[in-house]
Amino acid sequence: MKELERLKKDWNKHQNFPELSKEEIYKFLHKKSSSIVKWIFIISLLEFGFWLLIALATKNNEAQQRFDTYNVDHIMIPLMVIGYVILIYFFVIFYKNYKEISNSDSTKSLMQKILNTRKTVKHYVIFNLVFLFVSSIVGAAIEFSNNPDLKLTILKFENTNDLYIFYAIVIGITLISIVVLSAILLGFYYLVYGILLKRLKQNYKELEAIEVE
Amino acid sequence: MKSTNENEFVTLVQKHQNLIHKICSLYTKSDAEHKDLFQEITIQLWKAYPKFRGDSKFSTWMYRVGLNTAITLYRKSKRRIQSQNIDDFSYKIPQTEAYDDTEDQQLQLIYEAIKELNDIEKALIFLYLENKNYKEISETIGISEVNARVKMNRVKKKLKKQLNP
């Protein structure tokens, strides 16, 4: 392509950029970066914080206090330990991935590493949703077998032969709550990361396509 | 107070600043964006500077960080451009002036066509114009040498088609 060859020949001749002084360049060093890695890191920390807050917020509420009277520590403590161990595991992996991000890597490798940190947090959120689901079921089972008010309600429904309606309502409410919460979270991710990672994902796909072709 | 390290770094960036300008003018469409990207590339270079071991040329290392910033890390931030005080340095980006000679109209056209390519294609062409060989291009982008060559030929064809529809 002769036009491109000509452009290449004259490439540096025509580039008359005004020269920046040392002082001007020096000022840049102290400005804030707007890098997407910084934003992903901040948002990820907020996500970790969000789930931690949820765990702490539900710790001392009425239901929790009631649970304490049921003597179900053999179920609750392992569940809590598993939750925290997995949180630490995810955080370590996330931090390791984050530290590995280097802006002097090859373009493809840099993109891969950024996407990996994202993937870790995504897995963490999925784990939390599953954990929430399992905990809800375990919690409901404990309530059903220990809460005197609930026992009475079950008995009432049993007497009128409407027990299936009661269970249908309970399961329905649980499922709707989980679906609504998941939808809110997924909507949030779609919005935040959709905007933040759109260009990166497109470019990564482009690079992958080059390798496949 | 400026440290020796900062001084050394700023001197190197000032010496090779044209390279950053060239990336900025390819990847942005306005003066404000150009300035913003220039600043972000400088910040990213400074962040990576402790890892620069000097076993590669400073300019070679700049290509990587500069292109990575333009392609992957940089986020356009209108608010940031408006709020920061950047009036103290003003320059004209020769996006249209560079090749505005009537006899060089063809070159101006091809430069504009390159600016319309996608981010990865632009990077390939940029490195090609910078006289990098396929080994360097493949290492910078992170694809194989053969694939870099194949893709480059495709981009050239694409450009040709754009110029002679």
Side-chain angles (χ1 to χ4, degrees):
Chain A
M1 195 188 171
K2 64 176 192 310
E3 295 97 334
L4 195 66
E5 290 310 314
R6 256 201 77 196
L7 183 67
K8 187 177 180 180
K9 210 175 115 234
D10 290 350
W11 181 237
N12 286 315
K13 276 189 213 163
H14 289 287
Q15 307 279 6
N16 303 315
F17 297 105
E19 205 173 311
L20 293 183
S21 71
K22 278 188 183 183
E23 281 308 311
E24 284 161 338
I25 293 168
Y26 177 78
K27 273 186 208 160
F28 291 159
L29 305 189
H30 301 279
K31 298 267 184 197
K32 275 190 186 149
S33 161
S34 68
S35 147
I36 63 158
V37 174
K38 193 183 93 177
W39 285 109
I40 288 175
F41 184 68
I42 292 170
I43 294 166
S44 300
L45 285 186
L46 288 175
E47 283 171 67
F48 278 110
F50 169 75
W51 288 102
L52 210 63
L53 256 173
I54 291 220
L56 291 174
T58 53
K59 215 172 161 45
N60 284 317
N61 63 12
E62 211 181 301
Q64 184 67 42
Q65 280 164 8
R66 206 171 51 240
F67 258 61
D68 291 342
T69 63
Y70 296 160
N71 290 325
V72 283
D73 281 357
H74 59 288
I75 300 170
M76 296 313 287
I77 290 176
L79 216 58
M80 206 174 72
V81 170
I82 292 172
Y84 283 115
V85 165
I86 292 177
L87 165 73
I88 292 165
Y89 164 79
F90 273 115
F91 198 78
V92 168
I93 299 287
F94 166 75
Y95 190 69
K96 231 181 102 200
N97 286 342
Y98 172 72
K99 287 306 271 182
E100 273 172 19
I101 293 175
S102 161
N103 58 17
S104 41
D105 267 350
S106 75
T107 307
K108 196 178 178 191
S109 161
L110 171 71
M111 288 181 185
Q112 247 163 0
K113 285 174 181 170
I114 295 173
L115 291 174
N116 274 346
T117 62
R118 238 347 278 155
K119 213 187 268 171
T120 308
V121 184
K122 199 168 104 189
H123 289 163
Y124 174 67
V125 171
I126 292 170
F127 157 77
N128 267 309
L129 285 173
V130 172
F131 194 71
L132 192 74
F133 184 69
V134 172
S135 309
S136 310
I137 291 171
V138 172
I142 293 171
E143 280 284 357
F144 280 125
S145 49
N146 290 286
N147 190 324
D149 293 343
L150 259 177
K151 275 184 184 171
L152 208 71
T153 316
I154 291 172
L155 212 68
K156 267 188 209 163
F157 275 92
E158 232 171 16
N159 286 339
T160 53
N161 279 333
D162 286 335
L163 198 59
Y164 66 94
I165 295 179
F166 174 75
Y167 282 120
I169 291 170
V170 172
I171 293 169
I173 290 173
T174 314
L175 281 179
I176 289 169
S177 314
I178 289 169
V179 167
V180 167
L181 183 69
S182 307
I184 291 171
L185 281 174
L186 290 176
F188 172 77
Y189 292 131
Y190 182 76
L191 210 74
V192 172
Y193 294 109
I195 296 166
L196 210 58
L197 293 176
K198 192 180 160 206
R199 192 162 149 237
L200 192 152
K201 279 184 178 162
Q202 263 173 5
N203 285 333
Y204 189 70
K205 264 190 208 157
E206 168 81 16
L207 278 177
E208 290 221 296
I210 296 175
E211 295 292 68
V212 171
E213 276 164 11
Chain B
M1 220 176 89
K2 296 170 202 173
S3 68
T4 331
N5 214 17
E6 269 180 346
N7 244 330
E8 189 185 89
F9 172 79
V10 169
T11 308
L12 281 167
V13 170
Q14 202 214 9
K15 188 178 159 200
H16 297 283
Q17 63 175 289
N18 256 11
L19 198 158
I20 307 178
H21 278 307
K22 281 185 270 185
I23 294 176
C24 293
S25 77
L26 267 186
Y27 281 90
T28 60
K29 286 188 173 148
S30 69
D31 283 20
E33 275 178 31
H34 182 115
K35 290 167 190 170
D36 205 38
L37 180 57
F38 192 107
Q39 181 177 305
E40 188 61 41
I41 291 176
T42 313
I43 295 171
Q44 292 298 328
L45 284 166
W46 177 234
K47 265 175 77 180
Y49 191 56
K51 286 186 207 149
F52 172 67
R53 288 191 298 271
D55 45 4
S56 61
K57 257 168 56 186
F58 188 75
S59 58
T60 310
W61 177 75
M62 275 178 100
Y63 283 111
R64 271 188 184 219
V65 181
L67 283 174
N68 275 340
T69 308
I71 296 172
T72 309
L73 302 171
Y74 172 63
R75 272 196 76 236
K76 285 175 199 168
S77 164
K78 283 182 189 148
R79 194 180 50 77
R80 209 163 78 95
I81 295 166
Q82 283 160 2
S83 64
Q84 73 180 63
N85 179 21
I86 46 170
D87 292 337
D88 50 347
F89 86 100
S90 55
Y91 50 75
K92 263 190 157 312
I93 301 151
Q95 280 172 359
T96 47
E97 291 94 322
Y99 302 111
D100 62 356
D101 236 326
T102 35
E103 49 190 60
D104 282 338
Q105 259 177 11
Q106 196 65 14
L107 293 184
Q108 176 65 40
L109 278 175
I110 190 165
Y111 187 76
E112 293 305 324
I114 291 169
K115 288 193 76 170
E116 293 306 314
L117 293 172
N118 70 39
D119 289 347
I120 304 294
E121 293 169 338
K122 248 186 247 180
L124 282 164
I125 291 289
F126 170 70
L127 291 167
Y128 173 79
L129 291 171
E130 288 289 307
N131 214 10
K132 299 288 155 197
N133 59 38
Y134 282 105
K135 188 172 181 288
E136 287 171 291
I137 294 175
S138 72
E139 280 170 2
T140 307
I141 308 282
I143 54 175
S144 74
E145 221 176 301
V146 177
N147 285 329
R149 217 178 272 270
V150 172
K151 184 67 186 173
M152 183 72 82
N153 285 331
R154 287 201 185 141
V155 181
K156 281 185 192 171
K157 271 185 200 157
K158 190 176 169 181
L159 280 172
K160 198 170 182 178
K161 213 172 157 188
Q162 255 175 282
L163 291 170
N164 312 296

